[in-house]
Amino acid sequence: MIKSCDFLSVKYSILQNKSIILNDRFIFTSYNGVKGFIYNFGKDLLKKKKFYVVGDKTYLFIKNFVNFSFILRKNYVQDLIDDIILKNSNKSYDWFCGKNDLLKNSDNKVFQKKNILLNRYEVYRTFFIPHKIENLSSYHGIIFFSPSGAKSFFLKNRIRNDSKTEFFAIGKTTAEFVSRYLNKEIWIPDIPSMKEILLFVRKFFENKNLFP
């Protein structure tokens, strides 16, 4: 049996300044960032832009609306930032993100040094909806899909380190966050995507003869 539980809700934000002059380089580090952009500006402004995106879900969602003239796609936010720092100077970017998406202080300093301008637009906010899951020890595995989801989960749930439950995360950023609450191995796929984590979990339990 597979059970899916929502521990987060998303609300898209209306930008107050509607006369924003946008650059031609857009950064989207999440699917919700794209949806928040469309909520404010519509789909047409996505045309003829250069895109810097994180994750397959974000990439495939944008692909519904545009034919890419340029795309830099990475699996993790820090990898994307590092690539921009390495290859670009004197450029301007518009980053459409959530309230908690921030550059590290060290990256901010490098951006300033290389004259890279980053306009950050908060187009969505994430809210916790924590709730207690009964009989957690009866689950063979638990999958976490984001650091925020993990934080919301652990607000109401506690797991013993000697539990036989296996723990999985969609990627290394989420796994690092979950490790704050567990002294157990957290399994991750090679590629951080919904498809890959589900295939990974199925193969993991097939090897344990728990799936038919």
Side-chain angles (χ1 to χ4, degrees):
M1 182 184 73
I2 298 175
K3 182 177 181 180
S4 176
C5 301
D6 290 330
F7 283 85
L8 299 173
S9 66
V10 174
K11 182 178 181 181
Y12 297 103
S13 308
I14 299 175
L15 296 174
Q16 298 302 314
N17 184 2
K18 288 298 184 180
S19 61
I20 295 170
I21 299 175
L22 298 175
N23 291 292
D24 64 352
R25 296 176 181 84
F26 288 174
I27 297 175
F28 293 109
T29 51
S30 72
Y31 161 87
N32 284 316
V34 184
K35 290 197 73 173
F37 174 90
I38 293 173
Y39 183 76
N40 278 276
F41 299 103
K43 303 171 186 177
D44 288 345
L45 282 180
L46 288 172
K47 297 177 180 178
K48 298 180 180 179
K49 299 293 183 180
K50 296 179 180 179
F51 297 96
Y52 300 76
V53 305
V54 172
D56 287 347
K57 185 177 181 180
T58 311
Y59 168 78
L60 292 172
F61 186 60
I62 297 175
K63 198 174 180 180
N64 290 323
F65 310 113
V66 300
N67 293 318
F68 293 119
S69 59
F70 174 84
I71 179 93
L72 175 64
R73 176 172 45 166
K74 294 290 184 178
N75 288 327
Y76 295 99
V77 174
Q78 193 57 49
D79 291 343
L80 183 72
I81 296 301
D82 291 344
D83 202 283
I84 290 172
I85 288 172
L86 179 65
K87 296 179 179 178
N88 297 279
S89 296
N90 305 310
K91 301 285 178 60
S92 297
Y93 301 84
D94 293 330
W95 183 16
F96 302 94
C97 57
K99 177 179 173 58
N100 297 320
D101 295 321
L102 300 169
L103 281 185
K104 297 188 302 185
N105 287 334
S106 56
D107 289 333
N108 267 316
K109 291 177 181 177
V110 177
F111 269 45
Q112 292 171 8
K113 184 177 180 180
K114 299 195 70 173
N115 196 29
I116 298 173
L117 176 63
L118 183 66
N119 300 308
R120 182 182 169 279
Y121 299 107
E122 183 186 314
V123 292
Y124 73 92
R125 298 188 71 178
T126 302
F127 298 90
F128 295 158
I129 46 174
H131 49 275
K132 186 172 179 59
I133 303 295
E134 300 297 333
N135 302 317
L136 273 175
S137 61
S138 66
Y139 287 83
H140 291 103
I142 297 174
I143 309 172
F144 296 98
F145 294 98
S146 71
S148 296
K151 185 172 184 179
S152 180
F153 173 87
F154 284 110
L155 286 175
K156 289 287 182 73
N157 297 282
R158 293 291 179 269
I159 298 171
R160 294 167 56 95
N161 287 321
D162 61 358
S163 167
K164 293 183 179 180
T165 304
E166 300 286 356
F167 295 90
F168 305 86
I170 195 168
K172 62 183 182 182
T173 305
T174 302
E176 288 168 0
F177 190 87
V178 174
S179 67
R180 300 179 187 179
Y181 299 90
L182 295 172
N183 186 25
K184 291 174 65 71
E185 183 161 12
I186 301 157
W187 305 95
I188 63 172
D190 292 332
I191 300 173
S193 74
M194 179 76 74
K195 178 181 178 180
E196 291 297 323
I197 184 62
L198 294 178
L199 288 173
F200 180 90
V201 170
R202 181 171 184 86
K203 186 174 181 180
F204 183 94
F205 285 115
E206 280 177 347
N207 291 336
K208 290 179 173 289
N209 296 317
L210 291 176
F211 279 179

